[in-house]
Amino acid sequence: VVPGVDSAARQLCFEWGPAEMLVCETLFGGRGGEPLDDRCQQSPTPRRFLAGAGEGRPSSSSVFVVRKDQDVYVQTLRKLFNESHGIFVGLQRSEEELAGKSRKAHLVQVSKNYRSVIRACMEDMHQAAVSARDPALHSQYSTQVSILSAMELIWNLCEILFVEAAVAGPLLIRLLDWVRLHVCDVNNMVREVLSSENPSKHELFWNVVDVFVLQGRMDEARHLLSKEASANPTSLTMCRVLDDLMKKMPVPSLGNMQTLTELELKWQHWHEECQRYLQDGTFASNSHMESICKVLLGDENAILEKKELLTTWYHFLVTRLLYCHPTVKPMELRCLKCLSFIMSCYLPPQSSMDLFLGGESSAEPLDIILMAAFEFEIHQVIKECSIALSNWWFVAHLTDLLDHCKLLQSHNLYFGSNMREFLLLEYASGLFSHHSLWQLGVDYFDHCPEYGRVYLELHIERIPLNTEQKALKVLRICEQRQMHEQVRSICKIMAMKALRNNRLGSALSWSIRAKDAAFATLISDRFLKDYCEKGCFSDLDLIDNLGPSMLLSDRLTFLGKYREFHRLYGEKRFSEAAKLLLMLMTAHIAPCSFWMTLLTDALPLLEQKEIIFSAEQTYELMRCLEDLTAGKSDKQKFQDDDVETMKVEMLRLALARNLARVIVKEGTLEGS
Amino acid sequence: MFVARSIAADHRDLIHDVSFDFHGRRMATCSSDQSVKVWDKSENGDWHCTASWKTHSGSVWRVTWAHPEFGQVLASCSFDRTAAVWEEIVGESNDKLRGQSHWVKRTTLVDSRTSVTDVKFAPKHMGLMLATCSADGVVRIYEAPDVMNLSQWSLQHEISCKLSCSCISWNPSSSRAHSPMIAVGSDDNSPNILAKVQIYEYNENTRKYAKAEALMTVTDPVHDIAFAPNLGRSFHILAVATKDVRIFTLKPLRKELTSSGGLTKFEIHIAAQFDNHNSQVWRVSWNITGTVLASSGDDGCVRLWKANYMDNWKCTGILKGNGSPVNGSSQQGVFNASLGSVNTSLQNSLNGSSAGRYFFPPLDSPRAGSRWSSHAQLLPPPPLIEPSCDADPASLQYPHPRRRCVSRPLNLLPENEGV
């Protein structure tokens, strides 16, 4: 049944691996066609009927190894993964201990720790970018830096709004800090301006003053103004007035010394004062100062004029809040209808066209995320982040933190905790595809109540066990979590591997750990066989110290006991050795195939000068020998070589002689 | 982000199957050139062919690894009507020096009278068992009673499916509540309405496999079939590659008391159905946690499907074949440039919640002194993943923000993909 259509179509054949995926070109359904790589002309004869006709076709298709979660492999991000792991684990542990107010402080601290890790990572990445000579590498690093800085920006905002949940007053201060932290162009400008000989004449001078005002950095703005005043006596009065206004500006304090109404009242007064100065034309002669005064009054157009300096819509938003509504409450942010309008001012013109047509469609993911945050749409934030960011690190950790803030439950308990777990599982699965970071993943799985364990079980058995140390490490993790099946499987794999490489000792110890009786039997047999061939044991330490694990399998017991016999013999404790030897046969611990060897081992004991085997024991030995020979049919006897028959004869002789001696001895003993 | 690297397989004919070993450190390829090749990953991540040998006297359809608990064992099946089991022999020092390993044939399973189309090892808790299926519609289950002696395989079961079989899948569940189960797909394309997916379950009492279910809704030829890892669920998930991709859930119903020990009946639901390939689908396969399903079809793409945390399935990525010829196809290493189309579409990522990923555009150049430059630089309009030139528009249609369902976070169900 060959659908002989579409012979030129190529298809992909693939296979999942633990961390990677194989993809290769093929044609399914046994239809004919040429291999892809060299599109040599061939007759489209259905391949199925050409089975074996591969010769002469110069085809060498490729197999592609596709790897996901590439971020895991970025060296510089290792630090991020490693350090955030510590914070994550700490956060899960501290969960029970903390309550009430200290809990919130603690969570904020945790959030800050995460951010400092991002920052540190960003710094490293930046260094790497600077030192990278290869342009491709350089741009790669730069991309990472910008992603990380966006992450930090989002995280910081989430920290202010969700984790710390700052109240009116402090909220604005936090937002200002946030803007100052992330809009840092000004610092360069300041440096440039201040380092010039005559700062107030510098072309960027007023820009710098504006930026300071826009960011609410009044002290610095005043400092610059004083320079202008000293350089330019004509504007001295104006500067003084402006300076005074700036000084008097009431700001919300973190210390909670004043009530909101108090602040609002003060604000009102100050506002009126500004208004007065503006109206009586104090600043009329200096457009720069006039616009600053307008900004102080919260004049939207005046602020918008400084669009270039604000650089981003969220800077604009915060500035506007500062001068229009300094006591903004968290919930009021949400209702800021102007949000999308504000954004529109900062988007490229063609997109603002779209904007009026329908929503914020052309906004950047980063904008959408920040917007969602301002609107307190936590789920939206997480969703957008997971779309925009190239790895799960950010969403997994942020969601977990927010979950600890009890923010997700308030939305919907079921989805909330589920989403946290979903993201953590994804992140940890990504870690598991890395050859060393997987160990971090273990702890993440541990903190996923629903599927964590199953995921861990599935992932951990796929860890390549290249070395014994690695196997032991994996084993320890499994043992700590009572994952018996995985422990067994790992030991079995290792035992199999050791056996294949003829390392019997190691194979035995692994199979004892796996409590695999059948395999232990098999390896014991190999040991005994080796002994028969070479006449000595390997891995004596192991066999001597079997202890109770000897009971795992009969054969292993025998191996241990037989070795004990050798030891006793070596220590010249002949009678004990003889007793043990006999016991091995009479109690049927020894496999029948091995009896001949045991009897042969008895030979030197029988031939000792002093008598070791008692009469009774000798009878037993003889019975064993006869059982053994009688068990074989005549046919088999024929096949047995001469050595074997000679051995039997020798044994019989030795046994008879020993019996004779022992009868005489025992007789004399009784007689006396 | 994705990186694809190529390995010159150097088969003299079409490759039919690739297979990773349990740990992903080795792989095997099989081809119409009648050979199987084994590849090992070195410490630095390169793949080296360590063995290549003629396995059959016909095209080799499938190759698969046994669990490492049983050693290094491969099974292959072929058009030559046989399946074979291979074991790696730890090489002589000579071989090792050359980085080659030696594989010996342990057994040839010659029971089939037609092409053997699929071969699969049973889940390890069942011991060393092997199932084959053949074009004459028979599924055979073999067992190696002594795992140290792979030359002895006994034919334990022969199940006649009446329809030409194309694929089999064992249910991986090791739960005691679930009896061994195997699903069989048929690519019979005669115009009939017989169910092309049958599920057989082992009955403890009769010690036989008996048909437990047939997916009556699947009447088109089935090319591949795959049970998902169980994750401790009470129900099973089965992916089917037919004219589209389908995901079924099989929920065992409580056994009737009267027919104790009888067959389990299942409540079958179709969890998802995707026709994005717009063509026959040839392969389906799950990742190790059963969270992502990959499928490939006549359109030459591998599509990745993922359920979000609310169990809604959707496409999360597309891997495209490389249309442009690869220069010197035997070169090894990352080749972003030449694999352009693969890479762009790869960026669609496996990410569960995104149908497309956005990367912040790179900094133009770090300005002197400004450490992280401001975010203004992040703002210029980004290329939202440039669709590869030959991408079909339907598949690369990312959900528009406006159309997103806001009330369901992380759940951007692109149109006409859900069920």
Side-chain angles (χ1 to χ4, degrees):
Chain A
V1 192
V2 180
V5 288
D6 194 9
S7 61
R10 71 198 135 98
Q11 288 133 14
L12 293 174
C13 159
F14 60 89
E15 157 89 350
W16 282 101
E20 296 156 322
M21 198 175 173
L22 289 177
V23 175
C24 105
E25 295 148 339
T26 188
L27 292 169
F28 288 112
R31 66 178 68 154
E34 64 279 271
L36 256 182
D37 287 334
D38 46 354
R39 307 194 154 197
C40 54
Q41 292 303 311
Q42 288 172 6
S43 60
T45 325
R47 173 96 356 121
R48 205 174 260 205
F49 300 119
L50 281 177
E55 293 82 11
R57 296 180 180 213
S59 59
S60 56
S61 30
S62 299
V63 175
F64 302 99
V65 179
V66 180
R67 194 194 252 171
K68 62 165 179 167
D69 292 315
Q70 191 57 29
D71 274 358
V72 176
Y73 295 87
V74 179
Q75 265 304 315
T76 27
L77 285 180
R78 269 191 82 99
K79 198 168 167 184
L80 181 72
F81 299 133
N82 272 320
E83 295 191 2
S84 55
H85 165 258
I87 303 172
F88 173 83
V89 173
L91 175 61
Q92 315 301 316
R93 284 216 192 100
S94 63
E95 179 61 356
E96 302 93 39
E97 301 154 24
L98 295 157
K101 202 152 192 180
S102 65
R103 184 189 153 82
K104 189 168 167 186
H106 175 73
L107 288 171
V108 172
Q109 192 49 51
V110 168
S111 173
K112 284 193 174 136
N113 290 345
Y114 276 128
R115 279 203 293 127
S116 68
V117 173
I118 302 178
R119 286 238 147 206
C121 203
M122 207 151 75
E123 235 155 290
D124 289 353
M125 199 68 88
H126 184 73
Q127 288 305 325
V130 168
S131 57
R133 296 229 179 83
D134 177 17
L137 205 62
H138 174 84
S139 81
Q140 189 193 333
Y141 284 133
S142 311
T143 314
Q144 289 287 358
V145 170
S146 59
I147 291 173
L148 284 170
S149 68
M151 279 184 188
E152 213 263 341
L153 176 82
I154 299 164
W155 192 299
N156 196 352
L157 184 62
C158 291
E159 178 184 306
I160 295 166
L161 297 175
F162 307 141
V163 182
E164 192 176 3
V167 292
L171 174 65
L172 186 70
I173 299 190
R174 290 272 177 259
L175 288 176
L176 275 173
D177 287 342
W178 175 64
V179 163
R180 282 173 205 162
L181 194 61
H182 291 97
V183 182
C184 7
D185 277 352
V186 62
N187 296 343
N188 305 320
M189 273 203 298
V190 174
R191 211 170 302 128
E192 208 177 312
V193 169
L194 286 182
S195 59
S196 69
E197 277 183 17
N198 194 349
S200 58
K201 292 284 182 291
H202 195 280
E203 53 176 342
L204 289 175
F205 177 79
W206 285 108
N207 280 357
V208 174
V209 178
D210 284 345
V211 168
F212 281 143
V213 171
L214 291 172
Q215 294 191 0
R217 294 155 76 169
M218 290 308 170
D219 291 339
E220 285 149 287
R222 285 172 55 205
H223 177 71
L224 277 184
L225 266 185
S226 68
K227 287 215 181 330
E228 159 75 8
S230 54
N232 195 352
T234 52
S235 60
L236 187 64
T237 38
M238 262 194 280
C239 285
R240 278 229 181 104
V241 174
L242 196 59
D243 181 75
D244 195 43
L245 281 179
M246 286 180 183
K247 196 171 90 188
K248 278 198 245 161
M249 179 178 154
V251 278
S253 73
L254 284 174
N256 234 356
M257 300 292 272
Q258 51 193 350
T259 60
L260 275 184
T261 22
E262 241 179 285
L263 180 67
E264 267 167 15
L265 208 66
K266 275 191 198 164
W267 182 268
Q268 207 70 41
H269 282 301
W270 179 75
H271 215 251
E272 280 161 16
E273 200 179 342
C274 295
Q275 195 77 43
R276 220 169 28 245
Y277 280 119
L278 187 66
Q279 272 162 8
D280 62 19
T282 315
F283 303 117
S285 58
N286 188 324
S287 62
H288 291 299
M289 290 203 212
E290 187 170 20
S291 77
I292 288 175
C293 186
K294 277 185 186 161
V295 168
L296 293 183
L297 278 168
D299 184 289
E300 193 168 296
N301 291 327
I303 299 178
L304 269 182
E305 271 173 31
K306 320 261 181 210
K307 200 167 132 180
E308 296 302 312
L309 296 175
L310 287 167
T311 62
T312 61
W313 62 269
Y314 45 88
H315 190 345
F316 173 66
L317 173 77
V318 174
T319 304
R320 236 194 105 200
L321 286 174
L322 174 65
Y323 293 110
C324 296
H325 196 13
T327 55
V328 66
K329 296 185 187 70
M331 282 307 124
E332 285 168 342
L333 278 178
R334 235 182 147 151
C335 318
L336 282 174
K337 291 263 161 54
C338 53
L339 266 183
S340 52
F341 167 72
I342 292 168
M343 278 185 64
S344 73
C345 303
Y346 286 90
L347 291 170
Q350 77 274 17
S351 59
S352 20
M353 282 277 286
D354 285 358
L355 215 129
F356 293 115
L357 292 175
E360 61 285 358
S361 58
S362 53
E364 290 253 330
L366 179 63
D367 300 325
I368 296 173
I369 293 165
L370 294 175
M371 239 315 247
F374 276 123
E375 284 167 353
F376 286 83
E377 293 281 354
I378 296 181
H379 279 128
Q380 187 74 11
V381 172
I382 293 165
K383 175 181 137 188
E384 296 293 345
C385 287
S386 49
I387 295 170
L389 297 168
S390 64
N391 64 50
W392 293 100
W393 179 89
F394 182 78
V395 271
H397 286 92
L398 183 63
T399 310
D400 177 60
L401 180 65
L402 295 178
D403 189 57
H404 279 280
C405 299
K406 310 256 182 274
L407 284 167
L408 295 173
Q409 279 94 336
S410 68
H411 275 249
N412 184 322
L413 183 92
Y414 180 69
F415 292 153
S417 53
N418 242 10
M419 183 163 71
R420 167 186 174 271
E421 178 159 329
F422 175 86
L423 295 170
L424 286 177
L425 288 174
E426 289 296 334
Y427 173 62
S429 299
L431 289 179
F432 257 87
S433 65
H434 189 272
H435 58 86
S436 64
L437 287 173
W438 62 269
Q439 294 166 69
L440 305 179
V442 175
D443 287 311
Y444 287 93
F445 281 139
D446 279 349
H447 292 104
C448 294
E450 201 177 341
Y451 283 117
R453 191 181 163 98
V454 198
Y455 269 61
L456 181 59
E457 284 174 1
L458 284 170
H459 277 291
I460 203 147
E461 41 177 33
R462 304 275 180 159
I463 299 289
L465 307 165
N466 329 30
T467 61
E468 297 243 333
Q469 286 98 312
K470 197 161 176 191
L472 287 171
K473 201 187 263 174
V474 175
L475 206 57
R476 204 167 49 241
I477 290 169
C478 293
E479 276 169 351
Q480 280 163 2
R481 287 159 185 81
Q482 268 108 45
M483 293 160 55
H484 303 298
E485 170 53 27
Q486 280 67 29
V487 169
R488 193 201 60 73
S489 185
I490 289 164
C491 294
K492 182 80 193 281
I493 292 170
M494 292 308 287
M496 195 56 143
K497 210 163 153 183
L499 181 65
R500 279 163 36 82
N501 289 310
N502 259 322
R503 288 182 287 118
L504 291 182
S506 165
L508 184 59
S509 64
W510 280 113
S511 59
I512 289 170
R513 261 189 116 150
K515 301 201 172 49
D516 185 339
F519 211 63
T521 303
L522 192 133
I523 296 166
S524 307
D525 274 342
R526 288 280 292 270
F527 262 112
L528 295 170
K529 202 175 122 216
D530 270 14
Y531 168 74
C532 289
E533 284 164 7
K534 295 180 202 154
C536 62
F537 280 112
S538 52
D539 299 285
L540 283 178
D541 289 359
L542 177 72
I543 302 172
D544 282 345
N545 296 305
L546 281 173
S549 57
M550 195 191 280
L551 299 172
L552 181 62
S553 92
D554 291 350
R555 201 57 49 82
L556 187 59
T557 317
F558 170 67
L559 176 67
K561 289 288 172 197
Y562 185 56
R563 165 61 198 154
E564 200 177 317
F565 160 77
H566 273 258
R567 210 176 56 229
L568 291 172
Y569 187 84
E571 289 165 5
K572 302 215 187 304
R573 290 149 73 183
F574 294 130
S575 60
E576 282 167 74
K579 215 167 139 192
L580 180 62
L581 187 70
L582 196 57
M583 190 269 284
L584 285 176
M585 282 186 283
T586 51
H588 288 276
I589 296 170
C592 287
S593 59
F594 211 72
W595 281 27
M596 200 59 217
T597 318
L598 290 181
L599 287 167
T600 322
D601 284 334
L603 259 180
L605 289 173
L606 291 168
E607 300 290 333
Q608 289 286 325
K609 263 188 201 136
E610 55 178 312
I611 294 157
I612 296 158
F613 287 102
S614 69
E616 209 172 323
Q617 285 174 322
T618 317
Y619 285 128
E620 288 282 341
L621 277 177
M622 291 169 99
R623 195 176 56 79
C624 291
L625 180 62
E626 290 317 308
D627 280 359
L628 189 66
T629 44
K632 288 179 182 169
S633 64
D634 290 336
K635 218 176 178 182
Q636 273 175 310
K637 257 182 200 159
F638 254 114
Q639 287 166 341
D640 281 341
D641 47 50
D642 291 342
V643 183
E644 198 78 343
T645 32
M646 210 172 78
K647 247 190 210 168
V648 174
E649 288 312 312
M650 270 175 66
L651 268 171
R652 285 201 173 120
L653 182 66
L655 283 167
R657 274 169 47 179
N658 187 63
L659 189 61
R661 286 198 297 164
V662 82
I663 287 173
V664 170
K665 190 188 167 195
E666 280 172 11
T668 46
L669 276 177
E670 272 167 33
S672 60
Chain B
M1 231 197 268
F2 283 76
V3 167
R5 56 194 320 205
S6 85
I7 300 153
D10 218 23
H11 272 289
R12 289 194 319 274
D13 208 333
L14 210 58
I15 297 176
H16 290 291
D17 198 13
V18 280
S19 174
F20 261 127
D21 81 332
F22 187 73
H23 294 298
R25 305 282 304 175
R26 318 189 81 184
M27 67 171 173
T29 54
C30 66
S31 154
S32 269
D33 69 5
Q34 311 180 357
S35 71
V36 165
K37 286 176 197 266
V38 172
W39 307 76
D40 282 295
K41 193 177 184 178
S42 65
E43 285 306 316
N44 59 21
D46 291 336
W47 289 91
H48 299 287
C49 180
T50 55
S52 170
W53 72 101
K54 183 174 182 307
T55 48
H56 289 276
S57 52
S59 289
V60 188
W61 300 133
R62 295 266 196 161
V63 61
T64 184
W65 294 84
H67 192 277
E69 276 184 23
F70 305 110
Q72 297 299 310
V73 179
L74 279 173
S76 60
C77 65
S78 162
F79 178 72
D80 72 0
R81 307 174 190 182
T82 65
V85 176
W86 309 88
E87 187 176 23
E88 187 182 31
I89 298 300
V90 174
E92 302 298 305
S93 52
N94 208 357
D95 274 349
K96 262 190 179 159
L97 281 178
R98 283 186 292 127
Q100 294 296 305
S101 63
H102 189 58
W103 292 76
V104 291
K105 186 191 269 187
R106 288 306 187 194
T107 194
T108 308
L109 306 169
V110 293
D111 301 277
S112 171
R113 289 182 205 165
T114 52
S115 170
V116 182
T117 49
D118 199 358
V119 60
K120 294 273 164 69
F121 282 103
K124 70 168 191 293
H125 64 268
M126 293 169 60
L128 188 52
M129 290 183 107
L130 189 66
T132 65
C133 72
S134 50
D136 57 4
V138 182
V139 173
R140 293 180 177 84
I141 296 172
Y142 300 87
E143 182 171 14
D146 176 5
V147 297
M148 293 313 293
N149 180 5
L150 300 182
S151 54
Q152 279 179 7
W153 288 81
S154 56
L155 178 58
Q156 296 283 326
H157 304 281
E158 236 177 350
I159 312 166
S160 175
C161 302
K162 306 208 170 53
L163 285 169
S164 164
C165 299
S166 57
C167 50
I168 39 179
S169 174
W170 289 94
N171 184 341
S173 170
S174 60
S175 155
R176 274 166 213 277
H178 302 142
S179 328
M181 189 193 285
I182 191 166
V184 188
S186 166
D187 60 355
D188 183 296
N189 65 354
S190 54
N192 58 32
I193 51 153
L194 296 172
K196 296 301 189 305
V197 176
Q198 300 173 30
I199 292 156
Y200 293 87
E201 193 186 40
Y202 184 66
N203 186 321
E204 291 292 341
N205 295 343
T206 60
R207 301 188 175 202
K208 275 187 178 145
Y209 281 85
K211 195 195 279 189
E213 259 329 320
L215 303 184
M216 299 311 293
T217 51
V218 185
T219 54
D220 297 288
V222 168
H223 308 294
D224 201 9
I225 194 165
F227 273 110
N230 186 267
L231 298 179
R233 286 182 291 243
S234 62
F235 59 93
H236 313 296
I237 296 180
L238 181 69
V240 175
T242 172
K243 62 176 182 183
D244 50 16
V245 182
R246 292 186 205 180
I247 301 170
F248 291 94
T249 57
L250 288 83
K251 205 169 280 179
L253 297 173
R254 288 234 320 242
K255 284 179 186 173
E256 298 285 325
L257 287 171
T258 47
S259 62
S260 59
L263 286 168
T264 321
K265 279 289 159 201
F266 294 95
E267 191 185 322
I268 299 172
H269 282 295
I270 185 156
Q273 184 167 7
F274 312 109
D275 53 6
N276 303 50
H277 284 291
N278 285 319
S279 60
Q280 292 292 318
V281 181
W282 293 96
R283 278 288 169 96
V284 281
S285 140
W286 298 92
N287 70 346
I288 59 168
T289 47
T291 47
V292 183
L293 176 74
S295 65
S296 77
D298 271 341
D299 58 355
C301 296
V302 175
R303 284 165 202 271
L304 305 172
W305 312 93
K306 184 165 172 43
N308 69 2
Y309 71 101
M310 290 168 72
D311 274 341
N312 280 310
W313 292 88
K314 60 190 181 53
C315 181
T316 59
I318 301 161
L319 309 183
K320 271 195 169 294
N322 177 16
S324 59
V326 179
N327 314 329
S329 54
S330 58
Q331 70 189 183
Q332 211 158 351
V334 188
F335 58 111
N336 286 316
S338 58
L339 210 73
S341 64
V342 171
N343 275 345
T344 34
S345 49
L346 288 183
Q347 285 176 356
N348 296 340
S349 98
L350 288 181
N351 185 333
S353 49
S354 67
R357 277 225 167 144
Y358 156 68
F359 295 97
F360 293 97
L363 296 173
D364 317 335
S365 58
R367 282 186 235 160
S370 108
R371 307 211 53 177
W372 335 115
S373 332
S374 81
H375 290 95
Q377 292 188 1
L378 297 179
L379 287 173
L384 250 173
I385 301 184
E386 285 147 350
S388 50
C389 46
D390 56 342
D392 54 326
S395 67
L396 284 171
Q397 210 173 56
Y398 299 106
H400 197 276
R402 262 179 291 157
R403 276 181 261 146
R404 276 175 200 160
C405 178
V406 179
S407 64
R408 288 188 294 174
L410 291 178
N411 170 26
L412 334 171
L413 200 67
E415 298 87 334
N416 63 43
E417 271 171 9
V419 179

